[in-house]
Every structure is written in structure tokens, then in C-alpha cells.
Amino acid sequence: MGVLVVGLLVAFAENWYASQPCEKVTITLNEGSKETPLLSQQDIKNLLSEFGRKPLEGKSFETIDLSFLESRVKSSPLVKDCQIARNLRGWLEVHVQTHRPIARLIQTDLPDNGLDRYLNEEGRFMPLSERYTARVMLLSGPYFERKNHLRARQDTSLFHLIEAIQTDSLWRAQLEWMEVDAEGNITLWPQVGDTAIEYGPATARDVKFQKINLFFREILPLRGWKSFSKVSVRYKNQLVCTKADTLLAARK
């Protein structure tokens, strides 16, 4: 008899708990991260409520499908993850993680109407944010034509190079723009000056950046930013600086 009573009480409590209305929706963005979210709390609220047409406040929890709401939020290409749960106060807690941009593709000469896109930390291209402009390196060039991601095997070295530049505070501050031709050969452009850095294929990253560092630390301070039109780190054991019609070869 006692077991039956306890069972009835539990069933009653569960039914009562499920029938209670949602008192409030709280939204947390990028919890524990210093990254600025690409979406605002209002953006997430619009996704949850279909832009106010289906508000959650006042709705009983038994009619709220949490998995469906999570899927709706994650339908945004800017959202990496979403977890939704109810707390004991009758609030709906929404935790959202947005993607992290590591570069911005500018494509004014490409066939998809010149729409800029971010490259995120997973190697996928995604739309820009209307709320926040990330300060990341620019990408351009025919190599990116009709690409939706850099996750293919042949793109691995290029993606890791872009990622390395973005995560290194020194190179992130020094390098502004990466141009990649149809064959995958890279030219880097610094934040200061017009000296093109001929990088070549996205290989031998450590060796090439040692040579770029040598150029920045030992050659530029002596000759100045306007002394060279190009510096090449493409070839093994060579750092070749071009000044007008003159070649200054520094061998390493």
C-alpha cells in the first residue's frame, strides 16, 4: 500500500511539475570564453520564439520540446552548440556557444556576388555577423572559389597555417592579408608597409616563419619598410628581398 501511495505522489508531482508555466528564459553566450559572441541574446530569443510569434514565457513545460528548440538555435550557421534545460525556479536556461572566426574571406571578384564570409575554427565558411566584426586576417584569391570549407585533405596545411597566424598574437598583429592563387601559392601582406611576402605552398611553416621573423627583426630595422617591394621565403635555405631591380639575397 505504501509503495502505491508513493508512486501516486511521484506521478502527481511529475504531472504538476510538467504542467507549470515557463516563468522566464535566460540566455548565456560563450560561457567561460573571452571570445566576443557573434550573436546577441536577442538573436537567440528570436530563434527560440520565431521572432516573437511563439513566445515561451507562460507556456507549460509539457508543451515545450527542448530538443526541438536546441535544433532551432543550432540551425544558425554562427552557432556551434546549444544546450537548453529547465531549472527548479521554472526558468528555461539556454546556453549557446558561437563559432570563432579565424579569418575573413573577401571575394569581390568571385561569382557569388562578392559576399564576404568568415572562416571558423572548424574550417568551415560561414556568414558574417551583424552584431560584431571580428578582427581577423583577410583572405582572397581564386583558390577559394566555390569552396564552402577547408576541411579536405588538400586544404589541411593551408587551414593550419591560417589557424596558426590567428592564434599567435605576434603574427596576428603583423600580418593583415593572405592571397592564395589557383595553385595554392600564398602571398602574405603585412599590416604596415606594402612589402609582399612570397610564401609559396602552405608547407614548412616553422622554417618559413623563422625567415619572416629574421626579415622583420634584422633587415627591416636597417633598411626601412619602403626599401623592398617583395621578400620571398618560398625556397629552401633562402631569404630573397627584392628592391626595384636589385636582389639582396640573405642566405640562412
Side-chain angles (χ1 to χ4, degrees), residues 67-194:
S67 296
F68 175 75
L69 291 178
E70 289 175 349
S71 298
R72 184 187 291 170
V73 174
K74 286 190 283 190
S75 68
S76 168
L78 300 180
V79 172
K80 182 176 183 179
D81 190 34
C82 175
Q83 300 292 326
I84 303 177
R86 174 191 178 176
N87 67 20
L88 295 176
R89 302 175 68 181
W91 296 3
L92 205 60
E93 296 182 341
V94 182
H95 295 267
V96 177
Q97 190 76 23
T98 61
H99 281 293
R100 176 173 57 88
I102 64 172
R104 177 171 177 164
L105 178 62
I106 54 175
Q107 10 181 48
T108 55
D109 297 328
L110 296 185
D112 54 353
N113 299 320
L115 296 176
D116 288 9
R117 295 178 291 168
Y118 283 134
L119 178 69
N120 69 28
E121 79 289 353
E122 294 181 348
R124 303 182 190 276
F125 288 108
M126 63 183 185
L128 301 185
S129 168
E130 296 180 357
R131 303 290 183 181
Y132 170 69
T133 300
R135 300 188 65 178
V136 291
M137 184 173 62
L138 302 178
L139 306 175
S140 68
Y143 185 85
F144 301 105
E145 187 173 341
R146 290 185 291 274
K147 280 187 178 289
N148 294 318
H149 59 79
L150 295 180
R151 294 168 62 88
R153 179 179 297 179
Q154 64 267 24
D155 298 325
T156 300
S157 295
L158 175 59
F159 174 69
H160 288 325
L161 173 60
I162 296 169
E163 188 178 41
I165 292 172
Q166 177 60 22
T167 54
D168 188 294
S169 59
L170 173 63
W171 295 120
R172 188 171 67 245
Q174 292 278 8
L175 301 173
E176 178 182 29
W177 177 19
M178 175 188 289
E179 187 175 10
V180 187
D181 68 17
E183 287 72 41
N185 294 309
I186 298 166
T187 301
L188 297 170
W189 300 87
Q191 294 275 6
V192 178
D194 298 319

Side-chain angles (χ1 to χ4, degrees), residues 210-228:
Q210 286 176 4
K211 291 190 281 187
I212 295 173
N213 188 47
L214 175 66
F215 175 72
F216 281 154
R217 294 184 61 182
E218 298 187 22
I219 298 176
L220 278 182
L222 295 177
R223 305 298 296 271
W225 282 102
K226 296 182 180 180
S227 299
F228 305 104

